[in-house]
Amino acid sequence: TEANNPDFAQVSIIADPAVHKRALMVYDSYLKPVCDYERSPMPDQSIRVIAPGKASKKGNNWHITEKIKIEFV
């Protein structure tokens, strides 16, 4: 199963307001490649993770196989 396989991982966002603030400033670069969200953030919003994503390792590289589901609050 994926849970016991070192080539699969669960992916989430660090629960740190400073990290969220930085990610929101350039969300197209930081969040869009690894997250699904319905609308763009507004100033002074924060990030709430709805569901973690998944990644798999191929060779020496990790690839997102399921994006993190987030919303801006």
Side-chain angles (χ1 to χ4, degrees):
T1 67
E2 286 184 13
N4 297 325
N5 189 330
D7 291 332
F8 290 94
Q10 182 172 302
V11 182
S12 195
I13 295 177
I14 296 170
D16 179 336
V19 171
H20 289 194
K21 185 175 182 178
R22 195 166 51 245
L24 290 169
M25 288 173 33
V26 287
Y27 66 92
D28 277 341
S29 298
Y30 280 27
L31 300 175
K32 194 171 187 175
V34 297
C35 297
D36 279 334
Y37 45 90
E38 291 187 12
R39 58 187 178 292
S40 300
M42 302 300 278
D44 297 325
Q45 285 189 307
S46 62
I47 300 168
R48 178 184 301 151
V49 175
I50 299 169
K54 294 182 180 179
S56 65
K57 189 174 183 183
K58 295 178 183 168
N60 290 327
N61 299 310
W62 286 95
H63 300 274
I64 298 294
T65 57
E66 187 176 313
K67 290 185 174 187
I68 306 163
K69 309 244 184 315
I70 62 170
E71 65 182 352
F72 303 111
V73 294

